Amino acid sequence: MSGILGFADAEFRIALRNRWVAILTVTMALFALVLTLAGSGPTGTLGADQLSVTVASLTGLAVYLVPLIALLVSFDAVAGEVERGTLALTLAYPVTRWGVLMGKFLAHIAILAVALLVGYGVAAATAFGLDPDAARGLEALVRLYWSSLLLGASFIGIGYLASTVARRPATAAGLVIGVWLILIVLYDLGLLAGVVADDGGAFTTRVFPWMLIGNPADAFRLFNLAASDATAAAAGVDGAANSIMPLQALASIAIWPFAAFALAAWRFRRIVP
Amino acid sequence: MHNLTIDGVSKSFDGISALRDVSFSVDAGQKVALLGHNGAGKTTLMKAILGLQGADSGRIEVLGSAPGSARARASVAYLPENVAFHSALTGREQMRLYLRLRRQPARLADDLLDRVGLGPAAGRRIGTYSKGMRQKVGLAQALIGQPRLLILDEPTSGLDPVARRDFYAILDDLARGGASILLSSHALTEVEARTDRIVILSKGAVVADDTLIGLRAQAGLPTHIQVAARQGAADEVAQRLSAGRRNGVMVELTCTPEDKLARLGEITALGPLVRDLDVVPPSLDDIYEHFSRRAER
């Protein structure tokens, strides 16, 4: 336990000094600010409070940025230690490999929690400043926060997996960018193409919803839009949100962190330092 | 009591043998140097002792336990070759991590860094350290929690002569306390004076395992005697000792270790013709070369 906390402490400091994390946190805060200010117009006509509208916008933003931050802090976890030669040293200590990875996992989730607190905090503060009724959207914001952490944890686990597969930091970095591109950008395009080609057939009704839920990023978006009052505000953005139960989407983003971490830990055991 | 026993250990990678039937042991309080060319199997052997990489056959026992077992890892310290710590952490933070991994209080970090002479740099990031300073962080972590066996891979690389001397003084302290030390090195001259025994690995096999004196006797290499003759007497001295003249005053002769005293007698009998003399026993470099060459043949 002392070893896990030791790793968590050290890795948290490393991530705190990681320029990428700082840049992405600032980016997120700026985007959140812009989205909140830009979204301040239509609230009257929709009848939703300012914060609910902001949360809907933030959900779209988080799908891109949260996995990116998660992958950028995690890709070096194993490959970096292999390259620096510290993995052999670490494993000569009385710690388990599982403990090493768990310590890093805790630290990286913590740094993500801080980054999101800053980003969403800026948005929330602005929304409260613009609309006295913003408290109505607080529940949606809290839900967005913890589901973002689950989404981030999933991608931290995926980053570790890439790190153990690549074994070299440069390769791992390339790999996680590829993973991000596929899971966040191309996946949806592929599904969309499938739905269009299928024209309402078995793929659209049977396979498509499950494929959507199987991807943690899509499950995250579905869960937040379906569960939030802001669905109306986002209507048309994601029509599928109505056909899938938020509970199944929630199950997906709740299982993903454990599955990804377990897979990475299993792969890590096979690495000879 | 052997703190480390290696018995008939072999290991091969893709059909190429890295270790062949390696056997030796290290007792409590002993400092043993492991010598060998690059690729001789030093690091492979160390990783097998640490349980990081299993051997194909043979037996290794570390403090009465299996290599890599929880009991062994609790009292074995390791310093890998060319270790590079994360540049974003300070020396103090890096030490705090390793202290926690050994379940020691993190506040000991500064004491340990002081001990290797890094006290003033403890709060600076490792990224700003020189190679020697990074190596010292590696040494400091190997001292955590009174280890009973230290496995040190090229521990003095990058250290200046003063730091090397301090480092060996720390090792002497540890050995006096009953710790066993196995270290590899390329700097043969420093190992010569600082270790109790020398094990030479060549192509994965132990070709010599003895004290320096024992190795000298086994190798039977000639001892060199350099005689400084009085001005103008070099030729006469060379002739009477039937030896070669090196320059105007120096005469050099070689002899077997057994003949040494007789030869010295002859030299002293020359009386005033001789101004000074030096006896140069075969150096560790010579012995190392001898055993490595013999193994290759």
Side-chain angles (χ1 to χ4, degrees):
Chain A
M1 197 59 208
S2 142
I4 294 177
L5 290 180
F7 261 105
D9 179 32
E11 289 292 331
F12 185 78
R13 287 163 195 267
I14 290 171
L16 210 55
R17 291 164 197 169
N18 185 331
R19 287 205 182 82
W20 281 112
V21 174
I23 290 169
L24 286 172
T25 305
V26 171
T27 308
M28 173 165 260
L30 284 177
F31 266 104
L33 191 65
V34 170
L35 286 175
T36 311
L37 293 174
S40 62
T43 49
T45 51
L46 283 168
D49 66 283
Q50 179 61 49
L51 192 56
S52 295
V53 174
T54 299
V55 166
S57 311
L58 281 180
T59 305
L61 175 69
V63 166
Y64 289 92
L65 283 187
V66 170
L68 197 59
I69 297 176
L71 291 170
L72 284 174
V73 292
S74 61
F75 79 87
D76 192 55
V78 175
E81 298 244 5
V82 171
E83 177 149 295
R84 290 193 296 275
T86 43
L87 187 62
L89 178 57
T90 300
L91 295 180
Y93 272 85
V95 282
T96 59
R97 292 184 182 220
W98 180 88
V100 172
L101 212 55
M102 183 46 83
K104 293 185 179 227
F105 197 49
L106 293 177
H108 291 150
I109 290 175
I111 199 78
L112 196 67
V114 172
L116 291 176
L117 205 60
V118 172
Y120 295 174
V122 167
T126 317
F128 270 99
L130 291 169
D131 181 0
D133 278 347
R136 273 162 52 204
L138 211 54
E139 193 194 330
L141 184 73
V142 170
R143 186 166 47 230
L144 176 71
Y145 185 73
W146 62 255
S147 60
S148 295
L149 277 184
L150 285 175
L151 173 67
S154 308
F155 276 89
I156 289 170
I158 291 170
Y160 292 161
L161 187 62
S163 197
T164 52
V165 171
R167 296 186 184 205
R168 285 182 51 226
T171 320
L175 201 57
V176 296
I177 293 299
V179 165
W180 182 83
L181 207 61
I182 289 169
L183 284 184
I184 309 299
V185 182
L186 300 178
Y187 192 89
D188 285 6
L189 288 178
L191 287 189
L192 199 62
V195 169
V196 169
D198 188 49
D199 196 23
F203 175 80
T204 311
T205 52
R206 301 261 174 79
V207 184
F208 171 73
W210 292 108
M211 288 194 75
L212 212 54
I213 279 190
N215 183 330
D218 285 324
F220 164 82
R221 182 160 38 202
L222 289 175
F223 169 70
N224 276 290
L225 293 183
S228 163
D229 290 339
T231 315
V237 172
D238 214 327
N242 300 319
S243 65
I244 295 170
M245 296 294 288
L247 212 59
Q248 286 155 319
L250 175 63
S252 173
I253 54 169
I255 291 169
W256 258 100
F258 295 98
F261 182 82
L263 210 58
W266 168 75
R267 196 66 181 61
F268 185 33
R269 282 180 58 179
R270 291 174 41 193
I271 287 192
V272 177
Chain B
M1 164 72 192
H2 296 326
N3 273 357
L4 171 65
T5 308
I6 300 165
D7 188 11
V9 168
S10 296
K11 168 91 186 166
S12 59
F13 295 104
D14 304 323
I16 298 160
S17 33
L19 295 174
R20 304 167 203 236
D21 196 24
V22 172
S23 300
F24 67 90
S25 60
V26 185
D27 296 344
Q30 247 184 0
K31 288 171 288 178
V32 174
L34 190 60
L35 304 181
H37 293 299
N38 292 330
K42 301 187 297 282
T43 301
T44 308
L45 181 61
M46 288 183 163
K47 287 190 171 172
I49 294 168
L50 294 160
L52 295 173
Q53 206 171 69
D56 296 339
S57 60
R59 188 179 61 94
I60 297 177
E61 204 172 273
V62 179
L63 304 163
S65 305
S69 64
R71 273 188 60 200
R73 286 205 277 178
S75 2
V76 177
Y78 176 45
L79 173 59
E81 186 182 4
N82 296 327
V83 66
F85 300 99
H86 202 290
S87 57
L89 288 178
T90 66
R92 182 182 293 126
E93 288 165 347
Q94 187 69 64
M95 289 306 296
R96 286 165 62 93
L97 168 60
Y98 288 126
L99 281 160
R100 282 172 167 171
L101 294 185
R102 285 225 182 278
R103 293 174 184 81
Q104 298 274 323
R107 64 186 149 76
L108 297 178
D110 282 19
D111 293 346
L112 284 159
L113 290 171
D114 265 339
R115 209 167 155 197
V116 296
L118 275 183
R124 270 169 48 202
R125 299 218 183 147
I126 294 177
T128 67
Y129 284 15
S130 68
K131 179 165 190 325
M133 289 166 83
R134 289 201 298 269
Q135 189 67 15
K136 284 179 182 175
V137 176
L139 296 176
Q141 65 80 26
L143 304 176
I144 294 172
Q146 277 95 42
R148 289 173 59 203
L149 174 65
L150 286 95
I151 307 292
L152 310 170
D153 203 350
E154 307 269 345
T156 56
S157 72
L159 294 186
D160 60 51
V162 175
R164 278 174 196 225
R165 198 194 57 207
D166 295 346
F167 163 68
Y168 280 106
I170 293 173
L171 287 196
D172 288 343
D173 278 350
L174 289 169
R176 262 196 296 279
S180 300
I181 295 155
L182 179 68
L183 64 93
S184 73
S185 181
H186 280 309
L188 301 184
T189 38
E190 64 175 62
V191 167
E192 195 165 347
R194 295 299 194 159
T195 54
D196 304 313
R197 232 171 72 230
I198 291 161
V199 174
I200 300 176
L201 271 185
S202 178
K203 292 185 176 167
V206 174
V207 294
D209 174 9
D210 211 332
T211 59
L212 186 60
I213 299 164
L215 288 179
R216 282 205 173 109
Q218 265 190 60
L221 291 174
T223 297
H224 294 268
I225 302 174
Q226 289 173 349
V227 182
R230 199 165 42 77
Q231 197 71 39
D235 282 322
E236 195 188 342
V237 169
Q239 198 194 345
R240 285 175 63 176
L241 292 173
S242 45
R245 185 167 66 92
R246 218 169 76 184
N247 55 29
V249 287
M250 296 300 292
V251 174
E252 194 171 86
L253 51 107
T254 56
C255 62
T256 60
E258 299 83 62
D259 282 347
K260 191 165 70 185
L261 283 175
R263 289 297 258 173
L264 285 174
E266 287 172 32
I267 295 163
T268 41
L270 295 175
L273 288 177
V274 176
R275 220 175 37 168
D276 195 9
L277 76 86
D278 275 317
V279 179
V280 187
S283 71
L284 184 57
D285 298 65
D286 299 331
I287 293 168
Y288 174 63
E289 215 173 292
H290 169 83
F291 281 106
S292 305
R293 283 241 183 90
R294 197 177 66 175
E296 275 165 32
R297 252 187 267 127

